[in-house]
Amino acid sequence: GGGGGGGASPIIPLLVGREEEALEISSRLLRRGFHIPAIRPPTVPPGTARLRIAISAAHTKEDVAGLCDALRDLVPRSMLA
């Protein structure tokens, strides 16, 4: 689930749908220390706003685990399926 990906890309798109919701989740993640930008129209079609998660070798296992915890807290469960 999550709206895409599936390859070996370090970029993981998380489909949110509504632009306002993507902006709100992005803002809340930033307050927790995670810079996960909201990608919205006109970059993507209306109704397909998403979060752009980028993982790199510089991120520790703890960083990734913390992001996963924050996503579980802030993103509706149906988007994480």
Side-chain angles (χ1 to χ4, degrees), residues 2-80:
S9 174
I11 298 170
I12 304 163
L14 180 61
L15 185 62
V16 174
R18 292 183 335 119
E19 181 176 346
E20 300 79 14
E21 192 166 12
L23 287 168
E24 179 63 25
I25 295 169
S26 176
S27 176
R28 289 180 179 202
L29 285 166
L30 187 57
R31 287 194 294 270
R32 291 187 180 204
F34 300 102
H35 183 197
I36 307 294
I39 308 301
R40 52 204 171 100
T43 305
V44 295
T48 67
R50 60 203 68 200
L51 299 174
R52 183 181 188 268
I53 302 167
I55 304 293
S56 79
H59 293 105
T60 65
K61 289 180 182 181
E62 292 79 16
D63 293 333
V64 175
L67 175 59
C68 289
D69 289 342
L71 289 170
R72 275 192 287 275
D73 288 347
L74 300 173
V75 177
R77 205 177 230 11
S78 61
M79 291 180 196
L80 297 175

